[in-house]
Amino acid sequence: MKNFAKKLFFCFILIQSAAVFTRAGETARIVKQEGRKVYMDISELKSKPWEGVKFRVAERGADIINPKTGKNLGKEILRRHTGRVDYAEEAFAVGQLDEPQAPAVLGLEAEFILPAEGLRPADAFPAAPTDGETRVSPLWKSDFVEGEAVAAAAADITGAGAELVLAFGDNTINIYTLADNKLQKILTTQVNPLRKIIALDAADVKGSGVAQIFATVYDSSSERFSTLVYEYEDGKLRQSDTIKGMVKGIAPNNGPRVLYTQDITPASGKFTRSAPAKLLYDGKKFTRGDKLAAYKFDSVFGFNMSDFRYDGRQNVIFAAPNRRLRIQFEKKGSFIESPADIDFTTTPVRVKFKNSVQRLPVSLALFKDGAGDTIIAGIENQAKLGILADTFGSYQSARLYFLRWTGSGFAKYARADIDGAVYDIVQAPLGGWGGVIIVPSVSTAGYTTISLFKAY
């Protein structure tokens, strides 16, 4: 009897604790559905949902009647679906269903699962939360795209406007348009599997009016990097050239994309790098222009440039060997680094060579906010199983950090939590969106989601 009383008391405590941390929310009708994305009418709700709040949708069947009393006990629940709110306006909320194959839920009721009032994260907004990082949501988020996006680029490839280019793990290059709020694949090209795609970029280096695609590949048999150049012609992508080494670019402050190239070759059991140089085209072939020189800066991956001292000179910001971002000024000992608690070299893009591993950092975005301050955006991937997972490039989620340049240092500005690993980000227009950061993320289930974040 004594043990029973203890168990009863323990169950009571659990029930009370659950009541403290969650509570049943109000329901909202789903008035629009686009694949996994659903729009819910919250105009009449007293307690509005916010970003991250979970919801559930029940498909109901026939009435359940008590045969003795004739009382209607409610409708039979056939299936339950869950999801999460991406963002909410005054009259409607937008959420994503969790299931990859989106069920038809238009017209059904979504019940919000709200935490207790004291735990509501939205209470901290619009001021920054206690950790100094305001949470931001994407401007737009796609449905699941089949395949694992290992590289990305964006440009006008076919003449149809701002398009998205994704390289998948099956070594294909795929072009998408964004129209009517949906990504539509318009072209796929297979690349020789012996030349593994590790990076993409796109820009009109030739000045032809449309962009060329630059696919950096690694040939493990020859232990060489090269970049395959593709151009759109007669409804297909045609390989028009091969460049020795790697190609990657930047678009500071949403300006025209500028590409840089460097060669990485094996020597004495390690990779040696040439200095990054601007990629040019002389009318007949691709050439190397002026070199980018800065102390400890040696990679066309994970960098950007800006006038950090407001004196007209452009200085490089890059992912340094100590895993911080570093702004390197003219003198060797003149530099400023980002906070130590963010690791900007957590990248799933890496190449093994003998006993060494070449990490290729995720790209950095850079833009001016409404106040004219310089904002730097970069990715920190979150390891699956701790330190060893990072060693092997195994990640399950990521964070997009926004840092504000104060003129003398970095201040944490905001962050976005990403469901999935991020191989690269692209600062470029897409569809009707201009001034955005395109973030493809790969879930542990092997699907890709595209998120767009404000870059202005």
Side-chain angles (χ1 to χ4, degrees):
M1 184 70 180
K2 191 174 181 180
N3 288 338
F4 174 76
K6 283 184 178 180
K7 290 179 180 178
L8 184 62
F9 177 75
F10 181 68
C11 290
F12 174 76
I13 293 297
L14 285 180
I15 293 170
Q16 290 296 94
S17 299
V20 169
F21 289 99
T22 62
R23 60 191 173 90
E26 298 182 79
T27 61
R29 185 171 296 277
I30 297 173
V31 296
K32 182 179 179 181
Q33 181 175 6
E34 297 173 345
R36 293 175 55 241
K37 182 180 291 185
V38 293
Y39 296 76
M40 296 160 282
D41 179 1
I42 62 171
S43 58
E44 302 298 325
L45 300 192
K46 293 180 180 179
S47 298
K48 307 284 188 182
W50 56 89
E51 177 197 349
V53 165
K54 295 182 180 179
F55 63 86
R56 55 193 170 207
V57 183
E59 293 185 45
R60 299 181 185 273
D63 291 335
I64 299 176
I65 307 296
N66 185 322
K68 288 187 178 182
T69 64
K71 184 178 179 180
N72 189 331
L73 304 179
K75 292 185 179 293
E76 177 186 4
I77 297 178
L78 302 177
R79 285 173 291 275
R80 285 188 184 274
H81 313 289
T82 59
R84 190 176 66 173
V85 174
D86 282 340
Y87 64 91
E89 301 289 347
E90 183 62 28
F92 70 93
V94 180
Q96 291 276 343
L97 294 167
D98 292 331
E99 297 164 65
Q101 301 300 323
V105 295
L106 181 63
L108 301 182
E109 296 286 330
E111 180 188 11
F112 299 107
I113 307 168
L114 303 177
E117 288 293 345
L119 299 179
R120 178 174 174 171
D123 289 340
F125 293 94
T130 54
D131 61 4
E133 298 166 14
T134 301
R135 308 306 195 262
V136 295
S137 299
L139 297 170
W140 178 85
K141 193 173 182 179
S142 73
D143 290 334
F144 280 152
V145 177
E146 283 198 38
E148 298 184 24
V150 298
D156 182 2
I157 307 296
T158 70
E163 298 161 319
L164 176 66
V165 187
L166 297 177
F168 290 138
D170 61 1
N171 230 41
T172 59
I173 298 175
N174 306 269
I175 300 179
Y176 294 82
T177 59
L178 175 54
D180 299 326
N181 234 15
K182 291 183 180 179
L183 286 176
Q184 299 176 353
K185 186 190 291 190
I186 60 173
L187 190 58
T188 297
T189 296
Q190 181 70 54
V191 177
N192 186 334
L194 297 178
R195 295 179 170 184
K196 193 65 178 175
I197 300 173
I198 60 171
L200 285 179
D201 218 314
D204 184 13
V205 179
K206 286 187 172 183
S208 62
V210 290
Q212 301 84 52
I213 296 174
F214 298 84
T216 295
V217 299
Y218 179 66
D219 186 337
S220 57
S221 60
S222 65
E223 297 176 340
R224 289 288 189 271
F225 294 93
S226 59
T227 298
L228 312 179
V229 183
Y230 288 90
E231 298 183 59
Y232 181 75
E233 186 178 283
D234 298 329
K236 298 179 181 179
L237 284 180
R238 176 183 61 87
Q239 185 184 342
S240 60
D241 211 332
T242 301
I243 299 171
K244 184 181 179 183
M246 315 169 91
V247 171
K248 206 75 177 80
I250 58 175
N253 298 316
N254 301 314
R257 196 154 188 86
V258 180
L259 303 189
Y260 293 86
T261 182
Q262 71 176 154
D263 197 16
I264 301 183
T265 55
S268 303
K270 295 182 179 180
F271 285 115
T272 61
R273 304 169 183 253
S274 65
K278 190 173 181 180
L279 182 67
L280 303 175
Y281 188 74
D282 65 6
K284 294 182 179 179
K285 64 182 184 299
F286 290 98
T287 62
R288 297 173 186 242
D290 295 337
K291 295 180 180 179
L292 281 180
Y295 179 64
K296 287 194 174 182
F297 169 63
D298 64 354
S299 175
V300 293
F301 288 82
F303 85 100
N304 217 305
M305 299 176 68
S306 187
D307 177 14
F308 291 104
R309 283 185 169 167
Y310 312 109
D311 59 1
R313 286 182 290 186
Q314 297 290 308
N315 295 109
V316 176
I317 178 171
F318 61 97
N322 63 0
R323 303 194 172 193
R324 303 187 195 185
L325 297 184
R326 169 188 285 228
I327 300 175
Q328 182 64 51
F329 298 106
E330 288 72 28
K331 295 182 180 179
K332 177 180 176 180
S334 180
F335 62 88
I336 293 177
E337 293 183 333
S338 63
D341 60 339
I342 308 174
D343 184 350
F344 288 101
T345 63
T346 50
T347 171
V349 185
R350 50 189 74 196
V351 177
K352 295 180 181 179
F353 173 69
K354 298 191 186 303
N355 295 323
S356 68
V357 175
Q358 184 73 38
R359 287 177 176 238
L360 304 178
V362 177
S363 297
L364 300 178
L366 187 149
F367 60 94
K368 303 283 187 184
D369 68 1
D373 291 329
T374 297
I375 308 298
I376 301 98
I379 286 288
E380 179 186 56
N381 280 289
Q382 310 290 306
K384 281 184 182 178
L385 303 170
I387 297 175
L388 285 179
D390 174 61
T391 301
F392 294 103
S394 181
Y395 304 105
Q396 64 180 358
S397 61
R399 287 176 178 171
L400 176 65
Y401 280 100
F402 296 84
L403 304 179
R404 181 172 61 87
W405 171 244
T406 65
S408 59
F410 294 94
K412 290 183 179 179
Y413 187 72
R415 88 164 196 233
D417 294 326
I418 310 294
D419 294 330
V422 176
Y423 286 73
D424 202 7
I425 64 175
V426 185
Q427 185 176 1
L430 179 60
W433 296 96
V436 292
I437 301 170
I438 305 168
V439 182
S441 57
V442 179
S443 73
T444 54
Y447 291 93
T448 295
T449 302
I450 309 299
S451 301
L452 304 184
F453 291 89
K454 179 180 177 180
Y456 52 89

